[in-house]
Structure formats: structure tokens, C-alpha cells
Amino acid sequence: MGCDGGTIPKRHELVKGPRKVEKVDKVAELVARWFYCALSQEKLRRPIVACELGRLYNKDAIIEFLLDKSPDKTPMESASHIKSIKNVTELNLVDNPAWSGDKESIKGDKYDDLQCARFICPVVGLEMNGRHRFCFLRNCGCVFSERALKEIKSEVCHKCGVPFQEEDVIILNGNKEDVEILKKRMEARRLKSKLEKKSKKSKSAGAASQQETSADSPGPSKAKNGKDCVSSSSGENRQIVFTKSSENGNPSVPGKVNKASSTTTKRSIADSEDKSEAYKSIFTTHSSAKRSKEECSNWVTHTAYYF
């Protein structure tokens, strides 16, 4: 038996082994991360923004995502950390002169060079196609290659001259380790901003309460429009006008009174009130004594007439 046109099965066809892990095409992955929006999966077009984790987005897609408040809104992992438009930075990109655009490949009869990127580094000239590490500055949004920042070390932006620190440098489309570091920085930055806002609110509330207490508490009487009202013991309000004389003897504008003049006027008013009260007491005692003498004389005359 045999040699009758049959086939001989092999071992790998009879024995099933472990499945092979499907490998992702690296070129396709780079194109998806560097040429398409991470939220809408559309081609990147200006204005282009980047988040604090280094992902690229179309600004229109971010605005639509933030404005959508419907309950049926699908949660997006790529934009779950974006709470407002302040969490993204608009990028200042430099065009690549060698990039011809999508006009030549409309018919599909030409080869698309995926290595040719739309933007380049303004310092070194490397293309931003994912083969090289790129980063942007959070203060100004300028984009550079990591090689340019390492070779030309400076604390000022090479393009616009804005000062920056090491924490302001955010790597675009970094690996897992880079994303973890950027995430920690983002959380620390947001926590710091919350604490600053709380401290400002507490300071403003304290200042407002102090103003209210100072307005409610009675203070020393101040001269208003050059007039000062003094209430006497009899309940009458006396209005006194003070004028400040200059050194040459000319009278000045009323309403500006020194502290010394105000104290002297208060003392003079108090002395005048004491004198008036003493005068009243003397007058009352004199009048009462006079009345008692008249009554005595009248009593004597009546008694003499009776006897």
C-alpha cells in the first residue's frame, strides 16, 4: 500500500501547539500615532494641540469633545484626562519643504513615502515621522527634536526665546516609562494649582471680613468737608467749622485739620461745657437764696399785722 497518490501528514498539522502572537506593524503604528488625531482618528490638520501626556489631537476634535455633555457620550481613554481647553497646548510647528502633500497621490498611481513627514525640527532639520524622539515646551508650544535640546543646552527656547525649565519639556508619543513620568508631573501640577486657588480664596474672604468689621466698629470722629458736629449735654448739636491757616497767615481750605488742633478744640469745648454748668448752678443757688429772704420778710410783715 502506498504510492497511490495520497499525502503524508506532517507533525505540525496533527499536533496543535500554542498560537503565535500577532505582531503589530511598526510602520502602521507610527503612522497612526504621528499622522492621525488620537481622539477622532482623522488626519492631523492645523491647529494641532498636544496634551500633558504628549498625545497629538486636532483642536476641533478636543473642543467638540469638551462641549459634548450628553449622557450617551462614549468615554475616551485617550482624552479622559482632559477636563478643559487649558489642559492642552497649541503647537508651533515648522513645515517640511520636501513634503509635497496629498495632491500627488489622489489617483493612487504614485508611491506614498511614509518616511516623509509634514513637519521638521527647526534646529536640526529632522523629520517628525516617529523615527526620532520629539518634544514640545509647555510654556510656548514650540516643537523640537530631543537631539536638538541635548546638543544645544539652553534655558531659553531656541525659536521664540521664552525661558523654560526641565519640567516644561513634554515628550511627544513617548513610551510607557515616559508616560508614567509625565502623568506624575501632571498630577503634581494640578494639585499645586488647586492649593493655590484655595489659598487665594481664603485670603480674599479674610480681607472682606476685616473690611466689614472695620466698617461696623465705631471709630474716632473725622472731619468731613471741614465741619465737625459736637453733641452737648442738653442734646443740642453744635456745628463747628475749622480752618487751617498757612505759615504766611493766609487761611487755607477748610476741612483739613491737624490732630493737635482737633484735640485743642475738643478740650475748649469740654471747658466751656463745665463753665456753663457751674454758672447754672451758681444762678440757681442765688435765685433760691433770694426767694428765701423774700418769704421771710413777708412772714414777718404778716405776723406784725396780726399782732
Side-chain angles (χ1 to χ4, degrees):
M1 302 297 290
C3 296
D4 55 355
T7 58
I8 300 172
K10 295 182 180 179
R11 183 181 181 279
H12 70 275
E13 294 177 355
L14 298 175
V15 180
K16 293 183 179 180
R19 290 185 179 181
K20 294 182 179 180
V21 179
E22 295 181 359
K23 293 182 179 181
V24 181
D25 189 3
K26 292 183 179 180
V27 176
E29 186 181 3
L30 292 176
V31 170
R33 295 174 68 182
W34 290 91
F35 290 87
Y36 290 86
C37 174
L39 181 61
S40 62
Q41 304 302 324
E42 296 179 356
K43 278 192 174 183
L44 290 173
R45 59 182 182 276
R46 288 182 172 174
I48 299 172
V49 296
C51 66
E52 293 174 309
L53 300 181
R55 295 168 184 166
L56 299 173
Y57 306 91
N58 288 327
K59 192 173 183 179
D60 300 338
I62 293 293
I63 293 172
E64 291 176 1
F65 172 76
L66 295 174
L67 292 176
D68 188 8
K69 303 294 183 181
S70 61
D72 300 335
K73 180 179 178 180
T74 56
M76 295 287 185
E77 294 182 359
S78 59
S80 60
H81 59 284
I82 300 174
K83 305 300 180 182
S84 67
I85 197 66
K86 294 181 180 179
N87 299 139
V88 295
T89 305
E90 188 172 349
L91 302 180
N92 298 324
L93 298 164
V94 179
D95 293 328
N96 184 8
W99 187 73
S100 57
D102 299 331
K103 296 180 180 179
E104 297 182 358
S105 60
I106 291 175
K107 296 181 181 180
D109 55 350
K110 289 188 178 181
Y111 173 72
D112 290 337
D113 189 6
L114 298 177
Q115 300 298 323
C116 184
R118 183 178 177 181
F119 308 107
I120 60 172
C121 174
V123 179
V124 184
L126 296 175
E127 295 182 356
M128 199 174 72
N129 53 10
R131 300 288 181 181
H132 309 281
R133 288 167 65 89
F134 272 73
C135 54
F136 75 96
L137 304 180
R138 197 173 60 87
N139 297 341
C140 58
C142 295
V143 181
F144 303 97
S145 61
E146 192 178 29
R147 184 189 299 179
L149 294 179
K150 286 182 178 180
E151 291 180 356
I152 307 173
K153 294 182 179 180
S154 176
E155 296 181 355
V156 179
C157 177
H158 301 306
K159 188 177 179 182
C160 61
V162 176
F164 67 92
Q165 298 178 358
E166 186 179 357
E167 297 179 354
D168 299 328
V169 179
I170 297 177
I171 298 172
L172 291 171
N173 292 325
N175 52 24
K176 292 182 179 180
E177 295 177 357
D178 297 332
V179 172
E180 289 178 358
I181 294 171
L182 293 174
K183 196 171 184 179
K184 290 180 181 179
R185 289 181 183 176
M186 178 185 68
E187 292 174 354
R189 198 181 299 116
R190 291 184 180 181
L191 180 62
K192 185 179 179 181
S193 64
K194 285 183 180 179
L195 295 175
E196 288 178 355
K197 287 181 180 178
K198 286 183 180 179
S199 63
K200 286 181 181 178
K201 286 182 180 179
S202 62
K203 286 181 181 179
S204 61
S209 62
Q210 287 179 0
Q211 289 179 358
E212 290 178 358
T213 52
S214 62
D216 295 339
S217 61
S221 59
K222 296 181 180 180
K224 296 180 180 180
N225 297 326
K227 298 179 181 180
D228 191 8
C229 296
V230 181
S231 61
S232 62
S233 60
S234 61
E236 296 178 357
N237 292 329
R238 298 178 182 179
Q239 196 172 30
I240 303 169
V241 180
F242 299 102
T243 58
K244 181 181 178 182
S245 60
S246 61
E247 295 179 357
N248 297 327
N250 297 324
S252 61
V253 181
K256 298 181 180 179
V257 184
N258 292 331
K259 294 183 178 179
S261 61
S262 63
T263 53
T264 54
T265 51
K266 287 181 180 177
R267 290 176 182 174
S268 62
I269 291 166
D271 296 338
S272 62
E273 288 179 354
D274 296 337
K275 289 179 181 179
S276 62
E277 290 178 357
Y279 179 75
K280 287 180 181 178
S281 63
I282 293 167
F283 180 76
T284 52
T285 53
H286 181 70
S287 60
S288 60
K290 190 176 182 180
R291 287 178 185 175
S292 61
K293 287 181 181 180
E294 289 177 356
E295 289 177 355
C296 291
S297 63
N298 291 330
W299 183 74
V300 169
T301 54
H302 281 293
T303 52
Y305 180 76
Y306 179 76
F307 286 108

